[in-house]
């Protein structure tokens, strides 16, 4: 049985219980709550006897650890919780964190792919299912959602976010937090969410992982912050700071971010966890002279829990006892951490996530597979479909399926697959085989990687071995249609996976061009975790399907789209550059003083000599097997605070289809200046052939205002345009004055 404080009545208010507990804690025990370790030994094996694991084990037994990460499975979690609850003086339960980023055991599409669905209900459900599955395995806290806006496809972590736009990003951030946390955090099926990485991590210079971030106040307040704020509105209980420095201050040591903005202005009463080792990394940043000073800076800045750098457990006691750090700061941090533990109900039942029967009945349940299949289909974006090569006929075709990724059952799972089984995704080959009316033959074409593929290790991309080319070319030659599955392995994107080239990695481009020489009827199915440069493919390949990394049901989802059993409706959440040199490229840029081609042939306007300004595929872009027409955009009514806009959308094709109707505004004159267009509303509608729907949007002041350079929200009167359409280049517009 668990001891006294864990069994205290839950009838008392959390505050009373918190205060009473805090008053019993020694300084060391308080600091222990601020200490988080990654799983440091095989819990089901013998207790560690030597080295750092033995030290950490002793600390755990002495109540000097508040949280663990990377431990999962009821048996493991229960064993550790038992030590915390039954062997430590006060019996304070641990909180167990895990990167439940896109699913747990059942894997959903990577977050960037889910964002392409623009389907908030589906995204919320995906997070809810992930919480259901993870909580059955002992987890009660996820390090998600990552809500970092990014415009730079070189940065590998764009796969984990919702793309480049703060409005879409905010809606998705809200939905994900709701999905994870539900309406009742104390239910055994919901888990605490964590908004990360606070803040600016998505803007590393040159797209290089962990690089410095140097952005102005406009970008900070209007691009980076909105999704974080949305998570606060959704009631997120934790934040994670970031590895990077923002304008010269490591985020982990930033009082402005963590205290002024987050805790004071936004009234956040949950806790902030550091990123892995980021407290001590302030020494490498050149911001703290040693780990001890780093601990001081971090705690003063408002980093409440130290993930894995040991700086708090090693130095905070000294810092407080010598009067350098105020104990009140420790109390504040501990109060926040304990509050979340109380809210999760861990003090009432520390083993509430440790039900072995529930674990058995839940993990990998069929209903998660069904839901992830739906999510995967919704995430697919049709980029090109010349001469309606797609959908494929179901009978009588000889189809060549080419590409290493086509029969890969691990890569489609994507990057964050810590609890998933390797080789567990449905491959494209398997998915296509379920359609038996055609003659399908597979040829690998070219091996994508050589050597082992691991989450934490550098990949070796095959750049020399073309021995599989001839067989694939021969197969393509005799086939009616070629489906080529090319792109990035799941481990090509993610943390530590920045790239300077954004084409198809390795020898895949060469293979594509060789196959094209013998058969031009190619459907290119892309697997990737970031926008790629696809200029050649766009010029020559008739059909291109963006299929990201779609998770456990990937191959089934792709096959259903290729055969037209599902009509794709995804829209890009990030612009796809035409050339690498355009990066960072995004639709909501600001006008220059010389935005347009002058009438003469002079060079003095904002452009490139060797490339157009526009991306290859813009934000919000995506095709369908049907077509949509927009008409009758009008402002129906305007009050001081709201504007009601409507537009008619008609399905002008032959099949039923879904369309993401997007509304953008342009604020013609503002100080500071505003982007040339900003997304301010969208709606996903379903239309039968020839059906028309009137879609209404209500714009409020919040949507028309912005943050000035002092971080104050302002709404400025003046001339606005409203644009409505199926992507961010839409021309259909109307005007109003505010
Ligand atoms: C990542 C975080 C993640 C943490 C724990 C870090 O390397 O930046 O996003 O949650 O590890 O795994």
């Amino acid at each position: 049985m668990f001891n006294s404080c864990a069994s205290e009545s839950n009838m008392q208010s959390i505050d009373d219980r918190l205060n009473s507990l805090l008053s019993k804690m020694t300084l060391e025990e308080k600091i222990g709550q601020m200490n988080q370790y990654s799983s440091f030994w095989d819990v089901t094996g013998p207790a560690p006897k030597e080295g750092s694991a033995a030290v950490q084990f002793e600390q755990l037994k002495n109540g000097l650890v508040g949280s663990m990460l990377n431990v999962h499975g009821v048996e493991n979690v229960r064993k550790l919780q038992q030590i915390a609850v039954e062997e430590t003086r006060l019996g304070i339960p641990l909180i167990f964190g895990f990167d439940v980023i896109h699913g747990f055991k059942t894997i959903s599409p990577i977050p960037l792919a889910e964002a392409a669905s623009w389907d908030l209900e589906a995204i919320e459900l995906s997070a809810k299912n992930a919480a259901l599955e993870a909580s059955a395995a002992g987890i009660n806290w996820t390090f998600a959602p990552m809500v970092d806006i990014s415009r730079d496809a070189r940065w590998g972590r764009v796969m984990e976010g919702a793309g480049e736009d703060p409005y879409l990003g905010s809606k998705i951030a809200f939905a994900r937090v709701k999905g994870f946390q539900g309406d009742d955090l104390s239910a055994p099926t919901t888990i605490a969410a964590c908004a990360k990485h606070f803040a600016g991590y998505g803007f590393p210079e040159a797209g290089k992982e962990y690089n410095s971030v140097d952005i102005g106040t406009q970008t900070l307040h209007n691009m980076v912050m909105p999704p974080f704020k949305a998570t606060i509105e959704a009631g997120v209980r934790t934040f994670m700071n970031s590895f990077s420095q923002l304008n010269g201050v490591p985020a982990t040591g930033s009082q402005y971010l963590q205290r002024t903005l987050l805790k004071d202005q936004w009234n956040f009463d949950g806790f902030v966890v550091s990123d892995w080792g980021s407290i001590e990394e302030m020494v490498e940043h050149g911001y703290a002279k040693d780990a001890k000073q780093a601990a001081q800076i971090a705690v003063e800045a408002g980093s409440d829990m130290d993930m894995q750098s040991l700086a708090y457990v090693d130095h905070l006691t000294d810092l407080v006892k010598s009067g350098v750090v105020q104990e009140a700061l420790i109390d504040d941090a501990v109060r926040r951490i304990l509050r979340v533990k109380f809210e999760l109900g861990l003090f009432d039942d520390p083993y509430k996530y440790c039900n072995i029967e529930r674990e058995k009945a839940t993990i990998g349940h069929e209903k998660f597979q069904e839901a992830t299949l739906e999510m995967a289909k919704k995430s697919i974006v049709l980029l090109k479909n010349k001469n309606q090569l797609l959908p494929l006929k179901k009978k009588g075709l000889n189809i060549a399926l080419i590409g290493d990724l086509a029969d890969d059952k691990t890569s489609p799972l994507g990057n964050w697959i810590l609890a998933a089984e390797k080789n567990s995704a449905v491959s494209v080959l398997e998915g296509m085989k379920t359609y038996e009316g055609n003659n399908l033959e597979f040829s690998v074409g070219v091996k994508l990687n050589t050597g082992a593929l691991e989450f934490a290790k550098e990949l070796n991309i095959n750049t020399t071995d073309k021995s599989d080319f001839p067989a694939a070319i021969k197969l393509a030659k005799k086939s009616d249609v070629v489906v080529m599955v090319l792109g990035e392995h799941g481990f090509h994107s993610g943390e530590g996976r920045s790239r300077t080239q954004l084409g198809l990695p390795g020898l895949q481009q060469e293979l594509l061009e060789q196959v094209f020489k013998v058969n031009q009827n190619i459907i290119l199915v892309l697997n990737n975790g970031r926008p790629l440069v696809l200029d050649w493919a766009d010029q020559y390949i008739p059909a291109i399907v963006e299929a990201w990394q779609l998770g456990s049901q990937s191959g089934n989802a792709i096959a259903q789209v290729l055969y037209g059993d599902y009509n794709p409706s995804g829209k890009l959440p990030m612009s796809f550059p035409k050339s690498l040199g355009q990066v960072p490229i995004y639709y909501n840029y600001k006008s220059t003083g010389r935005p347009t081609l002058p009438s003469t042939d002079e060079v003095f306007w904002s452009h490139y000599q060797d490339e157009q300004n526009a991306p290859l595929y813009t934000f919000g872009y995506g095709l369908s097997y049907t077509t949509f027409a927009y008409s009758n955009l009008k402002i129906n009514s305007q009050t001081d605070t709201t504007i009601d806009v409507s537009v008619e959308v008609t399905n002008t094709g032959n099949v039923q289809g879904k369309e993401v109707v997007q509304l953008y505004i342009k604020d013609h004159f503002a100080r500071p200046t505003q982007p040339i267009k900003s997304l301010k509303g969208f709606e996903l509608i379903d239309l039968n052939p020839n059906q028309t729907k009137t879609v209404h949007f209500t714009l409020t002041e919040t949507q028309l205002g912005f943050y000035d350079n002092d971080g104050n929200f302002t709404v400025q009167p003046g001339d606005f345009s409203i644009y409505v359409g199926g992507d961010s280049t839409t021309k259909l517009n109307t005007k109003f004055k505010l």
Side-chain angles (χ1 to χ4, degrees):
M1 272 281 91
F2 37 96
N3 73 15
S4 57
C5 85
S7 58
E8 270 176 35
S9 152
N10 60 0
M11 298 304 281
Q12 273 175 288
S13 79
I14 285 182
D15 277 328
D16 291 346
R17 295 173 75 188
L18 230 166
N19 289 335
S20 141
L21 177 55
L22 206 61
S23 69
K24 293 180 200 146
M25 293 172 80
T26 63
L27 176 62
E28 285 78 4
E29 283 166 341
K30 290 178 191 170
I31 291 165
Q33 285 304 303
M34 300 163 71
N35 183 30
Q36 184 189 49
Y37 286 139
S38 180
S39 168
F40 51 85
W41 101 98
D42 176 8
V43 186
T44 51
K49 294 255 170 344
E50 54 194 26
S52 58
V55 176
Q56 297 184 358
F57 186 65
E58 277 312 302
Q59 289 176 336
L60 180 65
K61 288 199 298 183
N62 292 329
L64 301 183
V65 181
S67 171
M68 299 281 299
L69 74 149
N70 291 336
V71 181
H72 64 96
V74 161
E75 201 187 341
N76 294 320
V77 171
R78 177 178 281 276
K79 209 163 165 193
L80 284 166
Q81 194 68 301
Q82 235 157 4
I83 296 174
V85 170
E86 295 177 18
E87 296 187 33
T88 68
R89 192 178 76 91
L90 292 171
I92 301 175
L94 296 163
I95 175 170
F96 289 89
F98 199 78
D99 289 287
V100 186
I101 309 291
H102 46 105
F104 181 68
K105 189 89 164 187
T106 311
I107 296 295
S108 335
I110 56 170
L112 186 67
E114 287 196 355
S117 73
W118 298 54
D119 187 331
L120 300 174
E121 269 174 41
I123 292 171
E124 183 173 333
L125 179 65
S126 172
K128 184 179 169 189
N129 283 337
L132 264 170
E133 215 186 22
S135 61
I139 309 298
N140 40 42
W141 177 25
T142 174
F143 303 127
M146 182 183 108
V147 303
D148 297 311
I149 296 296
S150 181
R151 303 160 163 175
D152 195 330
R154 290 172 297 183
W155 189 51
R157 277 193 104 162
V158 301
M159 56 75 53
E160 200 177 334
E164 74 190 35
D165 182 69
Y167 182 84
L168 178 62
S170 299
K171 295 283 177 198
I172 291 175
F174 188 95
R176 288 199 165 126
V177 172
K178 282 284 177 209
F180 288 129
Q181 295 192 165
D183 296 327
D184 177 9
L185 197 58
S186 73
T189 48
T190 58
I191 59 181
C194 180
K196 69 186 189 186
H197 304 84
F198 197 60
Y201 183 49
F203 284 76
E205 272 182 359
K208 191 172 69 172
E209 183 65 293
Y210 313 133
N211 211 3
S212 304
V213 175
D214 217 312
I215 53 174
T217 45
Q218 278 300 288
T219 306
L220 183 66
H221 294 301
N222 293 302
M223 298 292 155
V224 171
M225 290 303 168
F228 284 106
K229 274 198 140 170
T231 66
I232 299 269
E233 279 152 29
V236 73
R237 298 315 290 135
T238 72
F239 261 55
M240 184 186 291
N241 58 34
S242 127
F243 287 125
S244 44
Q245 39 176 296
L246 173 67
N247 300 339
V249 181
T252 309
S254 171
Q255 294 209 11
Y256 171 68
L257 288 174
Q258 297 168 108
R259 290 214 186 273
T260 312
L261 218 54
L262 178 62
K263 292 177 179 173
D264 295 345
Q265 290 182 19
W266 298 356
N267 287 321
F268 174 65
D269 69 351
F271 70 89
V272 180
V273 63
S274 79
D275 204 346
W276 182 291
S278 70
I279 296 180
E280 195 172 0
E281 285 180 16
M282 286 198 284
V283 178
E284 286 292 342
H285 276 292
Y287 197 74
K289 68 176 191 303
D290 53 25
K292 189 169 183 177
Q293 196 179 52
Q296 180 197 339
I297 294 170
V299 79
E300 285 174 354
S303 293
D304 302 308
M305 187 182 274
D306 175 358
M307 182 192 286
Q308 198 57 36
S309 85
L310 282 66
Y312 281 0
V313 73
D314 286 351
H315 302 294
L316 276 187
T317 308
D318 248 22
L319 284 164
V320 173
K321 287 195 170 151
S322 59
V324 176
V325 166
Q326 301 297 308
E327 188 160 352
L329 291 180
I330 309 291
D331 286 351
D332 176 57
V334 177
R335 204 179 276 280
R336 291 167 177 279
I337 294 164
L338 293 178
R339 180 181 302 283
V340 175
K341 291 187 179 183
F342 272 111
E343 289 170 350
L344 283 163
L346 286 170
F347 284 95
D348 302 314
D349 179 2
Y351 305 109
K352 62 192 297 185
Y353 304 90
C354 296
N355 179 334
I356 202 98
E357 295 310 318
R358 191 182 148 222
E359 182 179 43
K360 277 194 211 139
T362 308
I363 305 292
H365 195 281
E366 194 52 33
K367 72 175 176 196
F368 300 135
Q369 294 291 339
E370 284 161 21
T372 202
L373 174 59
E374 284 312 301
M375 188 72 247
K377 289 188 283 190
K378 290 174 174 182
S379 305
I380 292 174
V381 186
L382 181 62
L383 295 175
K384 189 175 172 194
N385 192 17
K386 198 174 152 199
N387 304 330
Q388 295 181 340
L389 188 56
L390 286 170
L392 290 168
K393 283 195 302 186
K394 290 185 180 160
K395 273 199 197 118
L397 286 176
N398 288 312
I399 302 178
L401 178 63
I402 296 174
D404 200 7
L405 291 170
D407 79 334
D408 197 316
K409 293 171 63 60
T410 300
S411 171
L413 298 173
N415 185 269
W416 281 107
I417 50 171
L418 304 174
E421 264 163 47
K422 282 191 175 162
N423 259 315
S424 63
V426 177
S427 69
V428 179
L429 178 58
E430 290 168 331
M432 288 192 70
K433 270 187 184 162
T434 61
Y435 288 83
E436 290 169 350
N438 287 326
N439 174 35
L440 180 74
E441 276 187 67
F442 169 70
S443 180
V444 64
V446 67
K447 283 276 172 221
L448 181 49
N449 301 293
T450 61
L453 290 160
E454 283 177 50
F455 174 68
K457 294 280 163 61
E458 219 56 81
L459 297 183
N460 295 305
I461 295 171
N462 170 25
T463 53
T464 51
D465 178 8
K466 300 183 196 170
S467 57
D468 293 311
F469 270 37
I473 293 166
K474 195 168 160 204
L475 173 63
K477 206 168 181 175
K478 66 168 194 179
S479 302
D480 303 311
V481 181
V482 185
V483 176
M484 293 188 77
V485 185
L486 306 178
E488 299 182 308
H489 186 275
F491 290 150
H492 274 150
S493 56
E495 185 178 349
R497 309 287 188 185
S498 293
R499 291 177 60 194
T500 62
Q501 306 294 325
L502 293 179
L504 298 167
L507 298 165
Q508 296 179 103
Q509 179 67 31
E510 192 178 331
L511 176 72
L512 178 63
E513 293 182 25
Q514 298 272 338
V515 170
F516 183 76
K517 282 187 188 146
V518 300
N519 190 335
Q520 303 196 350
N521 268 344
I522 297 178
I523 295 156
L524 173 60
V525 175
L526 294 164
N527 283 184
N528 44 310
R530 51 154 73 84
L532 297 175
V533 172
L534 300 165
D535 201 26
W536 187 91
D538 182 67
Q539 274 181 51
Y540 298 105
I541 303 301
I544 307 179
V545 177
E546 177 51 80
W548 317 102
Q549 281 119 15
L550 292 175
S552 303
Q553 286 289 327
S554 177
N556 286 334
I558 292 168
Q560 289 185 31
V561 164
L562 296 183
Y563 279 105
D565 283 340
Y566 188 86
N567 186 357
S569 60
K571 302 274 188 176
L572 294 178
M574 252 188 117
S575 308
F576 275 43
K578 202 160 161 9
S579 289
L580 177 66
Q582 295 176 313
V583 173
I585 186 164
Y586 47 98
Y587 84 95
N588 48 359
Y589 59 89
K590 295 205 173 172
S591 178
T592 65
R594 297 181 177 189
T596 42
L597 180 65
S599 47
T600 63
D601 59 356
E602 285 183 0
V603 296
F604 306 113
W605 69 290
S606 181
H607 73 297
Y608 298 102
Q609 284 186 58
D610 54 357
E611 187 53 276
Q612 65 183 39
N613 283 348
L616 179 62
Y617 304 123
T618 190
F619 174 82
Y621 170 79
L623 302 171
S624 160
Y625 293 147
T626 188
T627 46
F628 300 97
Y630 286 74
S631 62
N632 217 2
L633 171 65
K634 57 180 193 227
I635 293 172
N636 299 309
S637 63
Q638 182 174 357
T639 68
D640 283 349
T641 48
T642 60
I643 296 169
D644 181 68
V645 184
S646 67
V647 68
E648 285 172 18
V649 188
T650 306
N651 180 343
T652 48
N654 300 322
V655 289
Q656 183 194 355
K658 284 185 295 175
E659 168 74 332
V660 182
V661 181
Q662 302 160 42
L663 179 143
Y664 298 84
I665 63 156
K666 177 178 167 72
D667 185 348
H668 288 269
F669 179 81
R671 295 177 187 159
T673 58
Q674 291 306 295
I676 59 127
K677 248 178 213 173
S678 305
L679 181 74
K680 293 295 172 185
F682 61 89
E683 197 169 320
L684 185 58
I685 59 167
D686 203 336
L687 290 175
N688 290 319
N690 296 321
Q691 191 187 354
T692 298
K693 268 190 190 164
T694 305
V695 180
H696 282 269
F697 293 98
T698 305
L699 283 171
T700 61
E701 275 198 354
T702 342
Q703 280 142 298
L704 300 174
F706 54 87
Y707 289 88
D708 65 17
N709 283 333
D710 298 321
N712 297 320
F713 192 72
T714 161
V715 184
Q716 297 179 358
D719 293 330
F720 287 76
S721 291
I722 292 175
Y723 293 85
V724 177
D727 69 50
S728 58
T729 60
T730 175
K731 300 275 180 290
L732 181 66
N733 74 88
T734 180
K735 291 191 169 40
F736 70 93
K737 254 190 207 312
L738 189 67

